[in-house]
Amino acid sequence: MHLWDLFDLSLVGAEEAVGLEFESADHHVSAWTFGELRRRALRMAQALKARGVRPGDRVAAYLPNGIEFIDVFLGTLRCGAVFTPINVLYRERELSHIVADADPALTVAGPGALDMFSGMTDVVPVDRLAAEAEAAAVESAPIALDGDAPAIIIYTSGTTGRSKGAVLSHNNVLTNAANIVTAWRVTSADRYLAVLPLFHVHGLANGVCSWLASGCRMRLVERFDRHHAAGLFEAFRPTLFFGVPTVFIRLLALDAEVARRIGQHMRLFVSGSAPLPPQVFADFRERFGHAILERYGMSETLMLVSNPYAGERRPGTVGSALPGVSIRIVGEDGRDVAVGQPGQILVRGSNVFQGYWRNDAATSAAFDGSWFRTGDIGEKSADGYITLRGRATELIISGGFNVYPREIEDVLLEAPGIRDAAVLGRPDPVRGEVPVAYVVTDDLFEEEAARAHCSRVLASFKVPRTFVRVDGLPRNALGKIQKHLLPSDGREAEKHVASRPGDTV
């Protein structure tokens, strides 16, 4: 079984139902039935084959959210080829690495982005490919594929070096979609509002694949616009919404009455891709009447852990393991740690990727036997809830004590005047390392008050030694803080330009 078998439950089984609405940047809405989407995908598969795409080939897509993205994704899978989405915020240097590494048989890009690939690879404008698909026949024989065949290659964000291509099989993505649809009770009656970029695993493997597996109606927006958020929610009246913490923070700025009305017709808000501050969880529940469901996953593993749909959604935690997922938390000696003690999270299951594309060394380093090393630090409560403490590479050792940045960041966001925060370890001649806080503030911020707040709830060695005020924190397209882009010397921080151009959230 491969992904087309799963998707046909909706593409064929609900062919007369409206499956997709797309809202462009100028707020024009177009709609297609599942049957129309299937026919478009079959034509796209024929167009790709005519251009020489064969099973196992990579098809790279440098495309914003839109119907064309869906067409190329489904058409690629129908050919038995491997869909390789590329972050549309990437520029020439990042693109050249991915193109050289993935070695795509075909690269598809929007008309305004063709020059980005100059000298790297042959690139076809998506409007030309769409015209070729429109003229193609609807017939397209299915390709016989084993479930372990690669379906998608997702390039990691590359926070510690060059990005690597995580190879996700059809079985990986099938497992993930089945878990989401089951655990979060997604049905054809849902109305899913999709605001996340589809080039990311969150928007694609979680959002698009769960939509197609469940047969619900999806409204896809080209880009999340916080100024239009109220109108978007009230016009579409979704029941299901996947977001990242930055999006939920934006939604908290909505008028209280608007928030109440949105909450009345919503069934489920889900947050992921970055830690959700407990204060945001509490504020959102008060204003919208919903406890956000926080979960945890990675590009390499898809969804691993989730707070329950029915049960306690515990703030500050990501819940417990999803069906078929095994979790260990180990110390530096590789042995399981005691309940409540922090350690690195290891995972295994049919959701875990096959390895990094053409990178045996990185694949070997990422696994401990059958267990994938996530690189994340976490701890498990006696009743199975997992709390993330940050990346293993971000661990601060101060005077022999382990300090986890996430714990300090959550406390900082409770302090008056702090709107955003990131904590890093910086060298110290006495303690080895000390925590330094990079904070985005408003007029209420007073450093001594923030320090006093931390001192009331944290051990002395966890209190930031320095507060560095910045205009904003560097984030990727999904809102995850890119700590490696923060200035290494706090004295230079005031010169730091924090926001990447084109940030979608």
Side-chain angles (χ1 to χ4, degrees), residues 275 277-279 388-391 394 396 403-415 418-425 436-439 453-454 458 462 464 473 481 483 486:
Q279 190 62 48
L388 300 179
R389 295 302 185 193
R391 297 288 293 169
E394 294 173 1
I396 302 167
V403 179
Y404 298 96
R406 168 75 189 276
E407 180 183 13
I408 305 173
E409 290 160 359
D410 285 345
V411 170
L412 288 169
L413 291 173
E414 299 169 356
I418 295 181
R419 294 187 287 112
D420 209 355
V423 172
L424 284 77
V436 172
Y438 292 78
V439 294
H453 172 73
C454 291
L458 294 171
K462 298 179 183 178
L473 299 176
I481 297 173
K483 292 187 177 181
L486 287 167

Side-chain angles (χ1 to χ4, degrees), residues 11 15 53 164 184 246 256 259 281 288 323 358 371 382 402 444:
L11 297 175
E15 63 175 335
V53 174
K164 302 183 290 290
W184 300 342
T246 306
F281 178 95
F288 287 81
R358 293 179 175 173
W371 294 90
N402 288 354
L444 296 176

